[in-house]
Amino acid sequence: MKLTNKTVLITGASSGIGRACAEICAKEGARLILLARRRERLDELATELRKTYSSEIILATCDVRNYEQVENVVSALASEWAAIDVLINNAGLSRGLDKIQDGNIENWDEMIDTNVKGLLYVSRAVLPLMIRRNDGIVVNIASIAGREVYPSGNVYCASKFAARALSQSMQIDLNGTGVRVCNIDPGLVETEFSIVRFRGDAERAEKVYQGYTPLHSKDVAEAMMFCITRPKHVSIHDMLIMPTDQASTTIVNKKL
Ligand code: NDP
Ligand code: 8X3
């Protein structure tokens, strides 16, 4: 499948992996619907992509935790944009790194609402459009944390185990519709993820990526591109992409 004139909706496009997915899709000629809460980030990205690739882009300022907002974005799409070929469910976050007995309820709610309910809400709004056309690919960005728990990862890991379960559920429920579902589990990727997790503590966040070579957002975007450009009879169900220096959630070849 070529991406020229295909429509790709990316959630969490304002930063990190989502932004890299937007860049690579724009480069391949896709039309983009870019969704996130930080409008100024989306504006800046859209300006760059329009200038560099003459991309056609729609911006959606939207919180994936709010179904009404999600529904409004999708239902307001003009028919030529509603034919969404690829949905990249990427918006997500972690908050805190505390033992479960010390967990912060607001942090738990935010992770579950974003990583689980947000993925569900966007999928619920977009899937009927794909099913109607018997075509489309959903890419869920889950995580190695959805395959292995790590100390104090508890609720973040649980949310990613849930994302993985939802990818598998979609693969089963959508069988026969022509809609494909791809689950991508990255290991450590240097993005704003840890700054968000540690609520702006840049020093603590930087330490997560020191002493080894983490993945770059572009590495994940390239893996995503491979998945969405397979012929229509090929469905990549599951992909695990790790830094060479990372063997598991807890085993990282750090030279500090
Ligand atoms: P970033 O913090 O760089 O990007 C997260 C993106 O998600 C931002 O664009 C943010 O946009 C968006 N987002 C967060 N909450 C919401 C919301 N409620 N509504 C809409 N958009 C939202 O992190 P990453 O790029 O690393 O994270 C992307 C995905 O990859 C996440 O699902 C993460 O769990 C997953 N992942 C990350 C790994 C890593 O090591 N970095 C490894 C494995 C998976 P805004 O704030 O503008 O709304
Ligand atoms: C993000 C990777 O290991 O920090 O999903 O949880 S990790």
Side-chain angles (χ1 to χ4, degrees):
M1 177 174 128
K2 298 273 181 253
L3 276 197
T4 318
N5 295 324
K6 297 284 180 187
T7 301
V8 181
L9 191 164
I10 304 170
T11 72
S14 61
S15 173
I17 295 169
R19 184 185 164 111
C21 289
E23 286 168 348
I24 198 169
C25 289
K27 194 173 175 194
E28 294 301 319
R31 312 158 81 224
L32 299 174
I33 305 168
L34 304 180
L35 184 153
R37 292 165 301 177
R38 286 172 293 178
R39 180 66 185 211
E40 63 293 350
R41 292 279 198 107
L42 294 179
D43 281 333
E44 180 255 317
L45 175 61
T47 302
E48 191 183 311
L49 298 181
R50 284 180 183 127
K51 195 171 142 202
T52 314
Y53 304 112
S54 307
S55 309
E56 281 183 75
I57 301 175
I58 285 185
L59 301 182
T61 315
C62 173
D63 186 331
V64 296
R65 294 171 297 176
N66 183 320
Y67 185 68
E68 204 182 335
Q69 284 184 25
V70 170
E71 224 283 319
N72 284 342
V73 166
V74 176
S75 62
L77 293 172
S79 56
E80 69 272 22
W81 284 95
I84 295 168
D85 297 287
V86 181
L87 163 62
I88 304 176
N89 277 317
N90 162 79
L93 47 66
S94 65
R95 289 292 197 192
L97 190 63
D98 305 305
K99 286 185 192 281
I100 205 156
Q101 60 270 32
D102 302 322
N104 173 295
I105 303 297
E106 274 178 32
N107 286 347
W108 290 359
D109 286 344
E110 192 176 1
M111 289 187 276
I112 291 167
D113 288 351
T114 310
N115 302 351
V116 184
K117 290 162 80 176
L119 184 151
L120 277 170
Y121 290 169
V122 179
S123 303
R124 181 66 185 85
V126 171
L127 281 173
L129 304 175
M130 291 182 166
I131 292 168
R132 206 172 299 154
R133 298 169 54 237
N134 299 116
D135 201 7
I137 306 181
V138 179
V139 178
N140 293 327
I141 305 293
S143 172
I144 177 67
R147 296 182 185 221
E148 283 175 48
V149 290
Y150 53 86
S152 299
N154 45 66
V155 175
Y156 176 71
C157 295
S159 75
K160 292 298 183 176
F161 270 72
R164 185 169 175 75
L166 292 173
S167 294
Q168 290 174 0
S169 297
M170 286 181 193
Q171 283 156 358
I172 291 167
D173 292 350
L174 292 164
N175 182 245
T177 65
V179 178
R180 292 175 275 174
V181 180
C182 172
N183 187 83
I184 298 184
D185 289 334
L188 289 153
V189 191
E190 187 164 10
T191 63
E192 293 174 21
F193 178 85
S194 293
I195 294 179
V196 172
R197 167 170 258 175
F198 301 127
R199 294 197 180 272
D201 184 341
E203 206 178 316
R204 190 172 176 199
E206 259 173 42
K207 286 200 180 113
V208 176
Y209 308 108
Q210 276 170 1
Y212 70 104
T213 309
L215 292 173
H216 307 300
S217 296
K218 191 178 171 207
D219 301 321
V220 181
E222 285 172 353
M224 177 283 301
M225 183 56 66
F226 176 81
C227 295
I228 68 170
T229 50
R230 294 310 86 206
K232 193 160 162 49
H233 69 286
V234 178
S235 179
I236 308 289
H237 271 206
D238 206 5
M239 187 181 265
L240 175 63
I241 169 168
M242 301 285 275
T244 305
D245 279 330
Q246 184 178 15
S248 71
T249 51
T250 52
I251 302 174
V252 181
N253 178 38
K254 283 200 177 202
K255 295 196 173 81
L256 289 170

